[in-house]
Amino acid sequence: MAFWRRKTDIEKERRVKANDREYNAKFSYADNRIKTSKYNIFTFLPINLFEQLQRVANTYFIVLLILQLIPQISSLSWFTTIVPLVLVLAITAIKDATDDFFRHKSDKQVNNRQSQVLISGSLQNEKWMHVQVGDIIKLENNQFVAADILLLCSSEPYGLCYIETSELDGETNLKVRQALTVTSELADIPKLVEFDGEVICEPPNNKLDKFTGTLFWRNHKYPLDNEKMLLRGCVLRNTEWCFGMVIFAGLQTKLMQNCGKTTFKRTSIDKLMNTLVLWIFGFLVCMGVILAIGNTVWESLVGKDFQVFLPFDDSHTNAVFSGFLTFWSYIIILNTVVPISLYVSVEVLRLGHSYFINWDRKMYFAAMDTPAEARTTTLNEELGQVEFIFSDKTGTLTQNIMVFSKCSINGQAYGDIYDEFQQKVEITEKTACVDFSFNPLRDTKFRFYDGRLVEAVKQEDPSVQEFFRLLALCHTVMPEEKYEGNLVYQAQSPDEGALVTAARNFGYVFRARTPENITVFEMGQPVTYQLLAILDFNNVRKRMSVIVRNSLGQIKLYCKGADTIIFERLDVCGLELMDITSEHLNDFAGEGLRTLALAYKDIEEEYFEVWMKKYIFVSTVIENREDQLAALYEEIEQDLKLLGVTAIEDKLQDGVPETIARLNLADIKIWMLTGDKLETAINIGYSCNMLRDDMSEVFIISENTLLEVQQKLRSTKEHIVGLSRVSSATDVKSDIQLYPDSVFEEAIIAEYALVITGDSLAHALDPGLRLVLLDVACLCKTVICCRVTPLQKAQVVELVKTHKKAVTLAIGDGANDVSMIKTAHIGVGISGQEGMQAVLSSDYSFAQFRYLQRLLLVHGRWSYFRMCNFLRYFFYKNFSFTLVHFWYGFFCGFSAQTVYDQWFITLFNIVYTSLPVLAMGLFDQDVNDRNSLRYPSLYKPGQMNLLFNKRQFFLCTLQGLGTSFLLFFIPYGAFCVLLKEDGSNFSDQQAFAVTIATSLVIVVSVQIGYDMHYWTAINHLFIWGSIAVYFAILFAMQSNGIFGVFTSYFPFVGTSRNALSELNVWLVILLTTVVCVVPGLVVSFLRVDLFPTETDKVRHLQLRKRQEPQEQSLRRVRRTSSRRSAYAFSHQQGYGELITSGRNMRISNPCSAPSAGELQQNSNWIENVLKRKNEVACASEENAEASDSGNIVI
């Protein structure tokens, strides 16, 4: 290898020898020091400056500054650019330095933590950063794990220990780890000192849930897996002490391997801004060329006459070279069309919008003390442009609080209750539950209503006994018993906790476990089972089994898992029972319950011994261990006997159906991506209004081969397109006539839904078929993907994100949702029952799905609206300000002379006009939050990018161009004929400059005043205060006092006082202001009156309510109690306003409050509205006004 090539040996396996630093040092493994900081004292300035110059705008202004230092081409002082540039660079540098200081502080704190390390035969305190691979360290209760260590022994029996992994995956429930039996005996220092085992394992990686290795010690091999490892970031709990051997240290630990750089997300407005900046720069170059040519021509034709007394200096050799220098001079002067303050202002606005989300009390969930949190400040306006939402089901749409609801045992269903006529009785909160007082170890919070199951347990039905015995044995739950009878289960999933709790209440109490045994109290009698093997669950197997030996010496395999998986492995003798159970299973799934099938198997002693030898051998293999174990599990999990199925209820979160309905009305497509079975997913779809009975068809794709999936997708597409063509010829015309612009029409435009299973989706995501899948899915209003893996979730999001060019949002609550949350443009995490990993990976987080409607329809829409208005106004005012120099060039011999005083140029964007535009960008709102939610169709302009695009930029550029033209030529024409009160002429350029500058400040302030939709005290203070500050600074800078101190910097003493003391000047300023502002005002009024948008109509409605006469207000107040119910009812029925016509779809007698029965009858408001679509006629304008006055609260 050549000497200049860098050595890049890839570690293929790791060899670590205990208590042998010299041996381990030859592999050059990483030490335990971590470094997350970016800078130090010496590198901060150059590196940070280099990073900031990666931003094109900063580099652009640095180049301008250099140009301004060249006296031959600069007519502006250097401070006009360097002051705002240094301010921006300094603010960013201070922010970066502060962030890095905290990273340094955190690194120092972590690296200096103390750990007890076994060195030279004794335990010594060492800093974490000095711990090395192969060291044996001691951990005590509540201590953080210093590195990724192999658990050797602990204070608990059988080498058990308990850890909390909240820093790794956000889950706060305890997890159990267990040392090898052979090392669990190394419980004292002398034995640990003599331990010289060698571990050969996988190289460092970021897989938190997997570890493969082998321990070689005393001529024996012992398999190692993730259950033997304690990872850095975990905390030791409920364990007095433990010893471990360091395998990975520092940056090679799994925690640090997972701290990779998060993909930087940029908004569509950011991308548009880059394009516009290039356009503006091109426009700037064009103006510079025009003025440079003008200078060349002027110098050739006119300027030569002045050379007698104004000759060229040494740098000016001819007219062409003069034009060349003039070009660069005008590039400097006109650079303010893209002021650096724009980027600072954008960041301030985004930060403010993020705080508004954090402070929103209506998104605060008191039950969990969880507010909404904006975890990024760069995506707020993107929230107003979302077109696709990808949602998890469990814990996102549902509560993820599992309750054992029903079951089927040996063909008998339990869970429903019946009256004396054998009619099913609806279970309510008042329904009496089963009495479990016979069980002193029961969970008092558990509720079950079918007493037949308790009787079957008491009668010692063998099938029922085996059913609950399986639930008590086949799991990974850890019990905690702080005192006698006080059992707390630490479950890795709510499902397992619910099943073990159910077994507990029915008399099969899981009491304790060791690595070799499980103790269950069966109807009060302790029974110990020898645990022979655990065949663990994974996403491929979709089942879990345990093999135990009971007190009679019998070996049994208990298995639970997905019904499709279990049924495939049943003994052929149980087909009749399987058919009966399948009917119960479909009934349970139809009710939206989560189901699991249970089965068992008796195993012969001789067969098990042979199988166990294979198991022990495969467990020590390093290559393809998981595949070989899976094949071994498959071998023994055959010819099972069906016991029954469980049904667990996971209720919808509050407000989910209403939220989905509103988002649908906003033309946002919602796709549900879930790992649940097909029937459960469909039922939840109906429950939350994603699926409706009135849909034309729900297409289900569950084929198993690529060809079948391809044929099904193509036939589905042809069916939808064919029916749409027929319906469009007959129905669309009549619909448009009956319901113009109705917001309800948005909810029923798409008549189809697509449901696809994970197996079919795997084929549909094939490169040759994925676009067909996307076409079919986008033709449907609702898409549900069930039985999908986390990777498939991310692939679906990436498919839409890449090919539809639409803004996507992914929302979930579990670790399995992290991939799609990171893939989508916007990731939302829900603080739920599955830990905080989704939240930690998200851009926004809150506690309940229903808050999503407020995040998008209120905060998202407002942020987009405010940012677009801010950008339009900012470009308008800067074009108005800058292009005056362009017009002035034609009257100053193209000499690059500025119109304004240099201090005005410096302060215009950072003092005179910065606060009003910030106030508009922070506080403006076209309609209030209540109407934003009530009229979801107001969200559509953001999806179509209507408020700020290339066309809008062109229009505001034209407006700024016209304003600059008027700002220059009206004062210029006036000054040609204007006389002072004493009869003398206005002859000085500075009086002309003061007049234009004053007119400019007043014009842009008045313009932002009538562009403002929502006035606050802060808006008034900033707008009128900025005008006052302008005059104060103007008179101060041209006063005698400051001239006496800084003569060379403020030479125009008394100019403003002399000019603004003349009445004629004020008349010119007034005329200029009126002529500049009135045309835009007229256009705005005509547009709203002749071509009103939906926003204009809702604003008109909102303003009309504020202006209602007192008599109507009193009438509304007098009926407050009844109207509150009516408002809630209308709010559910809602979105019935026909916005373009101002008319409502109304129920009969809308002024009377509905009774409780009527409210119950109409609880599912969207279905009722859709059913009545063809029965509703447009109400008269008078009735609409009456209804609106009662339904909208301002």
Side-chain angles (χ1 to χ4, degrees), residues 403-407 413-417 427 431-436 445-454 468 502 505-506 647:
V403 179
F404 184 85
S405 178
K406 297 180 181 182
C407 64
Y414 299 96
D416 291 323
I417 56 176
I427 297 175
T431 305
C433 61
V434 171
D435 182 13
F436 291 104
K445 297 179 181 178
F446 182 79
R447 295 286 183 272
F448 197 77
Y449 300 94
D450 189 353
R452 295 176 300 151
L453 188 53
V454 175
F468 285 113
N505 277 268
F506 283 99

Side-chain angles (χ1 to χ4, degrees), residues 147-209:
D148 290 355
I149 67 175
L150 170 66
L151 179 63
L152 297 177
C153 58
S154 74
S155 59
E156 300 299 303
Y158 308 101
L160 289 173
C161 76
Y162 303 95
I163 57 172
E164 179 185 304
T165 60
S166 57
E167 288 211 5
L168 288 177
D169 55 19
E171 298 180 8
T172 57
N173 53 300
L174 297 184
K175 296 179 174 61
V176 64
R177 294 292 182 264
Q178 178 189 353
L180 289 167
T181 304
V182 70
T183 64
S184 63
E185 301 170 355
L186 305 175
D188 52 14
I189 300 300
K191 291 181 180 179
L192 288 167
V193 171
E194 295 175 358
F195 178 67
D196 60 352
E198 183 177 10
V199 172
I200 300 178
C201 66
E202 63 189 16
N205 59 71
N206 61 359
K207 298 176 181 178
L208 294 173
D209 57 345

Side-chain angles (χ1 to χ4, degrees), residues 686-956:
Y686 278 106
S687 299
C688 62
N689 281 330
M690 293 181 68
L691 301 177
R692 301 190 309 274
D693 291 330
D694 67 322
M695 282 183 162
S696 297
E697 192 163 349
V698 177
F699 299 100
I700 299 176
I701 300 178
S702 57
E703 280 66 24
N704 297 318
T705 67
L706 178 62
L707 183 60
E708 290 175 342
V709 172
Q710 182 179 15
Q711 291 174 346
K712 182 71 173 180
L713 284 173
R714 295 189 186 281
S715 63
T716 300
K717 182 177 180 180
E718 292 171 1
H719 183 77
I720 294 175
V721 173
L723 287 184
S724 297
R725 287 172 179 167
V726 173
S727 62
S728 63
T730 57
D731 299 334
V732 170
K733 184 175 180 180
S734 60
D735 283 347
I736 292 175
Q737 291 174 347
L738 286 175
Y739 308 105
D741 276 331
S742 170
V743 292
F744 280 103
E745 190 175 343
E746 298 172 40
I748 56 175
I749 287 176
E751 297 279 344
Y752 307 97
L754 175 68
V755 181
I756 184 169
T757 62
D759 292 337
S760 299
L761 184 62
H763 296 301
L765 289 172
D766 183 86
L769 199 54
R770 61 176 56 186
L771 292 181
V772 180
L773 168 67
L774 184 62
D775 289 341
V776 173
C778 291
L779 288 172
C780 299
K781 186 69 173 178
T782 295
V783 177
I784 296 177
C785 303
C786 55
R787 298 290 200 190
V788 294
T789 65
L791 178 60
Q792 286 178 323
K793 291 183 179 182
Q795 289 173 334
V796 171
V797 176
E798 184 65 35
L799 177 65
V800 176
K801 179 180 174 182
T802 302
H803 296 284
K804 294 301 293 183
K805 305 298 181 183
V807 178
T808 58
L809 181 148
I811 179 170
D813 75 319
N816 60 332
D817 303 316
V818 169
S819 55
M820 74 169 180
I821 284 174
K822 287 186 174 181
T823 303
H825 291 96
I826 303 169
V828 178
I830 288 186
S831 309
Q833 303 294 321
E834 293 188 21
M836 298 289 289
Q837 193 163 343
V839 170
L840 296 176
S841 303
S842 66
D843 304 304
Y844 301 89
S845 67
F846 40 72
Q848 294 279 287
F849 180 84
R850 68 177 183 269
Y851 298 145
L852 182 62
Q853 60 179 320
R854 188 166 181 86
L855 181 70
L856 299 184
L857 302 184
V858 178
H859 291 287
R861 202 183 69 83
W862 278 352
S863 294
Y864 174 72
F865 167 77
R866 290 163 175 167
M867 184 62 71
C868 292
N869 278 5
F870 163 82
L871 291 173
R872 288 202 307 267
Y873 175 77
F874 208 101
F875 283 120
Y876 156 74
K877 77 179 180 67
N878 278 283
F879 274 96
S880 301
F881 162 61
T882 303
L883 295 186
V884 171
H885 295 299
F886 179 78
W887 308 118
Y888 185 55
F890 291 90
F891 296 90
C892 66
F894 305 97
S895 60
Q897 172 67 37
T898 60
V899 177
Y900 313 113
D901 172 36
Q902 295 184 14
W903 284 106
F904 180 82
I905 295 174
T906 304
L907 298 176
F908 178 76
N909 276 306
I910 62 176
V911 176
Y912 299 149
T913 60
S914 61
L915 292 181
V917 72
L918 283 178
M920 180 177 75
L922 285 173
F923 304 113
D924 198 19
Q925 53 180 255
D926 49 355
V927 299
N928 59 31
D929 58 339
R930 182 170 298 178
N931 282 332
S932 294
L933 291 172
R934 180 166 186 177
Y935 301 96
S937 57
L938 298 179
Y939 188 81
K940 293 179 182 179
Q943 296 171 325
M944 295 183 284
N945 204 23
L946 295 181
L947 299 188
F948 186 74
N949 49 41
K950 294 173 183 177
R951 178 178 178 275
Q952 291 293 330
F953 171 75
F954 180 71
L955 291 177
C956 67

Side-chain angles (χ1 to χ4, degrees), residues 615-639:
Y615 176 75
I616 293 173
F617 172 77
V618 171
S619 298
T620 60
V621 175
I622 294 179
E623 294 292 332
N624 298 322
R625 179 189 297 177
E626 292 184 2
D627 295 338
Q628 295 185 53
L629 282 174
L632 203 58
Y633 295 165
E634 183 73 23
E635 176 189 327
I636 201 170
E637 291 173 328
Q638 297 294 332
D639 300 325

